[in-house]
Amino acid sequence: MSDWDDAYANAPHIADADQFPPLWAGRAAEFAAQRRSAGRAEIDLPYGAGPRRRLDLFLPDGAAKGLVVFVHGGYWMRFDKSIWSHLAEGAVRRDWAVAMPSYTLAPAARIRDITLEIAAAIAVAAECVGGPIALAGHSAGGQLVARMACLGGPLPDAARRRCVRVAPISGLFDLRPLMKTRMNGTLGLDEAEAVAESPALARPATDLPVVAFVGSDERPEFLRQSELVANVWTGLGAEAQCEQVSGRHHYDVIAGLSDPASPMTAFIAP
């Protein structure tokens, strides 16, 4: 690899990449307004001190089968929960509740701190909705939910016992290469933290089915990382696989979460 910055740069390799964030925000606002109007949304529930330690909870029209927690991406440095609300639609229409947390962004928080925040968010959401828990996350969010599936991970036992499946989407599972990128000026990763927060370098829980989804048209490094965690975790006894989503890139691979009939949603919220 001669250019690690380019290896992790998605936007320059996606046509009309700048159109995606406003598109996401518009669809998210529309979906959130519809669920609020129906009395089936709770917005800005606190899960700790601080302005970004808040989550939104979207409820199905009837009783919830269980809880899906979706963790957004942005290289731990960008975005918040409000841009992704529409991605709850698929699971909600399959009668699952969906929690979407924000978290403190780097450089105000290190990745190890964000990992602990997500564990706290899942625990609080679990107190609001009974039944099984499924975890999904995109990009940096894929790393964060995969950390919850590691032995000795930060998720409290009560919530961990209810987890039934994990779906990292276009995730990052070995963080050591990020130390070679310019973004590490913001992330501040050192060797110890990069190793500790890399799911591919940890032992997985063997009772949690894991599907690492990734778009077939993504950057080679994202394909490699998803295949890596599936291969390593399978070798360590986990039920793990990598599933390439045909014709999708890093920005549209998550679109399936809005569709109750998509294979991605069907896995997360059966």
Side-chain angles (χ1 to χ4, degrees), residues 120-231:
I122 295 168
V124 168
E127 294 175 354
C128 300
V129 180
I133 299 172
L135 306 179
H138 176 235
S139 198
Q143 176 267 336
L144 292 165
V145 297
R147 281 285 287 116
M148 306 301 137
C150 298
L151 290 181
L155 198 58
D157 288 343
R160 171 61 187 84
R161 286 192 295 268
R162 290 170 53 192
C163 287
V164 292
R165 63 190 66 85
V166 181
I169 304 165
S170 305
L172 295 158
F173 307 103
D174 181 355
L175 305 190
R176 294 173 298 178
L178 297 179
M179 292 189 293
K180 302 176 183 180
T181 67
R182 286 192 295 270
M183 78 177 80
N184 201 42
T186 299
L187 298 176
L189 280 168
D190 56 25
E191 182 79 14
E193 184 178 15
V195 170
E197 296 301 323
S198 293
L201 305 181
R203 296 196 67 87
T206 56
D207 61 337
L208 273 178
V210 176
V211 176
F213 291 95
V214 64
S216 65
D217 294 346
E218 297 212 39
R219 304 289 291 137
E221 183 64 2
F222 282 88
L223 291 164
R224 183 190 73 82
Q225 290 247 357
S226 292
E227 291 166 354
L228 172 70
V229 74
N231 287 336

Side-chain angles (χ1 to χ4, degrees), residues 4-255:
W4 285 103
D5 288 300
D6 183 66
Y8 289 99
N10 289 296
H13 301 276
I14 296 173
D16 299 320
D18 59 340
Q19 296 183 17
F20 280 89
L23 179 65
W24 295 328
R27 291 178 176 173
E30 181 180 355
F31 176 79
Q34 183 270 325
R35 297 317 292 169
R36 287 197 302 270
S37 177
R40 306 304 291 167
E42 299 181 36
I43 306 299
D44 282 336
L45 295 174
Y47 66 85
R52 293 188 60 91
R53 293 178 182 175
R54 299 288 186 271
L55 64 86
D56 295 342
L57 182 64
F58 300 103
L59 303 171
D61 293 333
K65 292 179 181 178
L67 173 69
V68 173
V69 180
F70 174 81
V71 183
H72 72 80
Y75 279 124
W76 308 274
M77 300 183 293
R78 293 184 292 276
F79 302 128
D80 64 57
K81 58 184 174 57
S82 68
I83 299 178
W84 315 99
S85 305
H86 60 296
L87 299 182
E89 183 173 4
V92 165
R93 288 176 61 187
R94 293 177 72 97
D95 296 322
W96 284 68
V98 179
M100 293 191 167
S102 290
Y103 48 85
T104 307
L105 300 177
R110 300 181 68 91
I111 292 176
R112 64 184 177 224
D113 302 319
I114 298 170
T115 299
L116 296 176
E117 289 190 11
I118 293 305
I122 295 168
V124 168
E127 294 175 354
C128 300
V129 180
I133 299 172
L135 306 179
H138 176 235
S139 198
Q143 176 267 336
L144 292 165
V145 297
R147 281 285 287 116
M148 306 301 137
C150 298
L151 290 181
L155 198 58
D157 288 343
R160 171 61 187 84
R161 286 192 295 268
R162 290 170 53 192
C163 287
V164 292
R165 63 190 66 85
V166 181
I169 304 165
S170 305
L172 295 158
F173 307 103
D174 181 355
L175 305 190
R176 294 173 298 178
L178 297 179
M179 292 189 293
K180 302 176 183 180
T181 67
R182 286 192 295 270
M183 78 177 80
N184 201 42
T186 299
L187 298 176
L189 280 168
D190 56 25
E191 182 79 14
E193 184 178 15
V195 170
E197 296 301 323
S198 293
L201 305 181
R203 296 196 67 87
T206 56
D207 61 337
L208 273 178
V210 176
V211 176
F213 291 95
V214 64
S216 65
D217 294 346
E218 297 212 39
R219 304 289 291 137
E221 183 64 2
F222 282 88
L223 291 164
R224 183 190 73 82
Q225 290 247 357
S226 292
E227 291 166 354
L228 172 70
V229 74
N231 287 336
V232 170
W233 279 15
T234 296
L236 294 173
E239 184 182 337
Q241 61 181 296
C242 176
E243 183 71 30
Q244 290 194 22
V245 184
S246 179
R248 295 294 188 175
H249 53 64
H250 194 75
Y251 284 6
D252 65 6
V253 67
I254 49 177

